[in-house]
Amino acid sequence: MYYSTNIPSANAIPRFSNLNATDFKSNWADKPFILTEPVRQWPSFRKWSIDTLLEKYGDTVFRAEAVDWPLQIYTKYMSNNEDESPLYLFDCSFVEKMDLKVRSDGDYWPPECFGEDLFDVLGEQRPDRRWLILGGAGSGSSYHKDPNATRRVFPADRYGHMWTNNLASAWNAVLRGSKYWIMFPSGPSHPAPPGVYVSEDQSEVTSPLSIAEWLLNFHAEARKSPGCMEGICNEGEVLHVPSGWWHLVVNLSPSIAITQNFVPETHLANALGFLRDKPEQVSGFGNDVKDPYSLFTAKLRETHPALLERGLAELERLQLGKKRKWDELVGMNGAEGAKLSKDFCFGFGDNDDDAEVP
């Protein structure tokens, strides 16, 4: 695992024992970090292993990318396959299938520092938000940009995509094993990571490489790229993935993890903008939800009216700032203006939105 060693100190993802909600909101909502204490309080951390899960859920069917297998079949595959891009168990219905309690006196609960998930106002109509993840050494999520409101694995993810989530932030907690992460900010002033290709309308972001191929051909270059952050999330630790950050993840050993999306207060304007302006890129909602933006704003108006008004005002400020920048670009002459306008986009969810607003 050469790629996970000798991480430059400038690239190292910060590590803390814990954070409080105020510190997260004020200083860390837009930055990756690893916490070493919260997960160790979970009963699931103390009790879960591949063997204990097999004893209780061996016949339970879980989703492994494009297939649905009983856990006992998947674990046999996980232990014996020699695939270059192994199938990854990634199931969004595990809480119901395993009859888990997600609360402070239950099987696990979100780390408190992340605060309220604003999508909770949607109740049963909210999009998929949490997944159980199992995988053997060498499996993982390769470079992909999922412009969706939620993070879901599709069969194509086996063939070289790098993840970023433009609407929701996420946390990823490792209960067994360890994971190597390499991450990059996204936005108008940040190019895509080496080996990653973005369509003109920003809706498709792919890399025609497996994880192993990307690591072999681009890892050294990526490690030297501006904004690169790397780290190992060990057993009993949880990593924060801010919305808009590219990330590639590789299991260094057989692992069990839980990941969950959330919309923090600090990212409300980005979430509103994405739902309103890119509805064709939103999925994860049930068929009964035809207009996620209207549903979300209506629920927020009922429960958090002042917060909604602040979010809409911030969204308007962001959009006006980007419009001014666009007007400046189209007013330029020659190759410089053409190049800058090609590099500029009106996407929301980028981490340097504020930096781009005059």
Side-chain angles (χ1 to χ4, degrees):
M1 304 297 184
Y2 67 91
Y3 51 84
S4 63
T5 61
N6 300 317
I7 294 175
S9 58
N11 292 13
I13 296 172
R15 300 173 65 87
F16 307 102
S17 58
N18 208 343
L19 289 176
N20 61 46
T22 300
D23 203 12
F24 171 75
K25 180 180 176 180
S26 301
N27 302 308
W28 291 97
D30 296 317
K31 303 171 187 175
F33 59 83
I34 292 171
L35 300 180
T36 61
E37 285 187 358
V39 173
R40 296 181 179 276
Q41 310 304 315
W42 295 353
S44 56
F45 171 73
R46 297 192 296 271
K47 297 176 182 178
W48 285 14
S49 68
I50 296 295
D51 289 339
T52 59
L53 291 182
L54 280 172
E55 288 176 10
K56 193 168 184 179
Y57 307 106
D59 294 327
T60 302
V61 174
F62 294 94
R63 170 58 58 98
E65 300 189 27
V67 299
D68 295 305
W69 280 345
L71 184 61
Q72 58 182 323
I73 299 299
Y74 177 78
T75 55
K76 289 178 181 177
Y77 163 84
M78 184 178 77
S79 300
N80 297 293
N81 85 90
E82 297 181 358
D83 296 347
E84 182 180 12
S85 298
L87 289 171
Y88 206 27
L89 190 151
F90 204 88
D91 192 284
C92 66
S93 302
F94 74 101
V95 167
E96 296 77 16
K97 293 176 180 179
M98 300 169 70
D99 193 26
L100 301 180
K101 304 296 186 290
V102 185
R103 61 193 189 205
S104 59
D105 61 346
D107 298 284
Y108 79 92
W109 50 89
E112 293 181 1
C113 71
F114 298 129
E116 181 181 7
D117 175 5
L118 293 178
F119 262 178
D120 280 346
V121 302
L122 299 176
E124 295 300 318
Q125 292 180 295
R126 69 166 298 151
D128 299 334
R129 72 183 184 277
R130 54 196 178 202
W131 291 262
L132 173 69
I133 310 173
L134 269 73
S139 63
S141 294
S142 185
Y143 285 122
H144 179 82
K145 183 171 183 178
D146 179 9
N148 188 2
T150 61
R151 299 181 346 142
R152 299 188 295 171
V153 165
F154 296 92
D157 292 335
R158 300 178 60 201
Y159 303 104
H161 302 266
M162 182 169 191
W163 290 90
T164 181
N165 190 341
N166 278 348
L167 178 54
S169 297
W171 50 262
N172 187 298
V174 180
L175 283 74
R176 292 293 177 269
S178 60
K179 296 175 180 285
Y180 168 74
W181 291 73
I182 182 166
M183 310 176 71
F184 299 86
S186 66
S189 63
H190 295 284
V196 177
Y197 306 95
V198 187
S199 66
E200 187 172 351
D201 66 356
Q202 307 289 310
S203 65
E204 296 291 337
V205 181
T206 62
S207 172
L209 302 166
S210 67
I211 293 175
E213 288 173 319
W214 187 89
L215 290 168
L216 180 64
N217 290 286
F218 294 102
H219 182 264
E221 179 185 353
R223 179 167 271 183
K224 300 175 184 177
S225 299
C228 177
M229 299 196 74
E230 305 172 71
I232 296 174
C233 193
N234 297 302
E235 193 168 291
E237 299 178 348
V238 58
L239 182 140
H240 171 239
V241 185
S243 64
W245 277 68
W246 305 95
H247 49 287
L248 176 146
V249 191
V250 188
N251 289 321
L252 301 178
S253 58
S255 73
I256 304 172
I258 294 173
T259 187
Q260 184 162 318
N261 287 349
F262 66 102
V263 177
E265 179 180 332
T266 50
H267 290 187
L268 176 58
N270 290 337
L272 291 169
F274 192 88
L275 290 172
R276 187 190 68 184
D277 300 331
K278 298 187 178 182
E280 74 284 353
Q281 296 182 20
V282 174
S283 62
F285 286 90
N287 293 331
D288 60 318
V289 178
K290 306 301 182 184
D291 184 352
Y293 173 76
S294 294
L295 174 66
F296 188 38
T297 53
K299 294 292 186 180
L300 284 173
R301 190 164 283 110
E302 293 174 6
T303 58
H304 299 72
L307 180 59
L308 174 62
E309 292 308 312
R310 291 198 299 272
L312 291 172
E314 174 68 7
L315 174 58
E316 181 68 15
R317 187 184 74 84
L318 292 172
Q319 193 162 40
L320 287 174
K322 290 184 175 183
K323 183 179 185 301
R324 288 197 299 271
K325 185 168 184 178
W326 175 256
D327 290 342
E328 293 172 4
L329 292 173
V330 297
M332 291 181 177
N333 295 318
E336 181 183 6
K339 179 182 183 301
L340 287 173
S341 62
K342 181 179 183 296
D343 292 340
F344 184 76
C345 74
F346 279 95
F348 288 89
D350 300 325
N351 288 300
D352 58 354
D353 276 341
D354 288 344
E356 298 299 317
V357 177

